[in-house]
Amino acid sequence: MLPEAPGLERTAQKLGRLARRMRLGAEDVVLPEQGGNVSVSGRNAIFALFSPTTRRLTTVIWVAFFAVMFGFYFVNSWTPKLLVTAGMTESQGVVGGLMLTLGGTFGSLLFGVLSAKWAARKVLIAFTVLSSVLMVVFIAAVGILALAFVLGVLVGTLINGCVAGLYTLAPASYIPLSRGTGVGWAIGIGRFGAILAPLAAGTLLDASWTAGQLYLGVGVVVLVAAAALALLRSPGAGSQQPAPAEAAAQAAKAE
């Protein structure tokens, strides 16, 4: 059972009574951490995200989600048209967009493989930095079709891996009581970036920005996510392990 699951306290008490009837000692039973009051909800739950111990974490996670989603939706929404603006034909621009999609199918898998060997935060920072750099190189390479298409696959892979990385890192960063609220709000903030990116790109394109300038600007935004993640320090470290065996004994006494 997840530590933040509703009714965890009642379930723990039932498990404790069952353990007593089965004549199991405290050393035989380890219950999940209850984390105190599991009924924190609504406004209090939101305020808890900005408590002294979590305000830095929340700010970093929100910035990272906004910046990554901004870059992800810009790349997937505007790449075909911007490739045409940069000098490709319409059919070549469509192929360039398909290369991004093709790369995206491998992004989550690659992140999973790498995060199994190294810390997820470090892998995610590497993905965001490389995404930022390759975006600029990608749009600058439109004159060399083969190279541009290969770079398109790489950009799609990396930016998709960034999204997968955030969905992996965010839940693990919050303590159980704040996890649902923290991740939910982070995803919501990311949606703002997803909505704003296509609108901002269209507005700047109408203002005579070139494709290279747009990709450079979005690359900087994605780089902000890397800087934010470098500051990430989770308050949940060490607090998400199962409760000690004594918790079973306490639950067994509760009626």
Side-chain angles (χ1 to χ4, degrees), residues 82-116:
L82 291 178
L83 290 177
V84 173
T85 302
M88 287 188 179
T89 65
E90 289 190 6
S91 61
Q92 290 169 346
V94 171
V95 173
L98 291 175
M99 292 299 103
L100 288 170
T101 304
L102 176 63
T105 61
F106 301 105
S108 300
L109 294 175
L110 179 60
F111 181 87
V113 170
L114 294 178
S115 61

Side-chain angles (χ1 to χ4, degrees), residues 71 75 131-139 155 159 215 218-219 222:
V75 166
S131 294
S132 176
V133 173
L134 287 183
M135 282 182 188
V136 179
V137 178
F138 168 61
I139 199 63
V155 171
I159 196 67
Y215 267 87
V218 174
V222 175

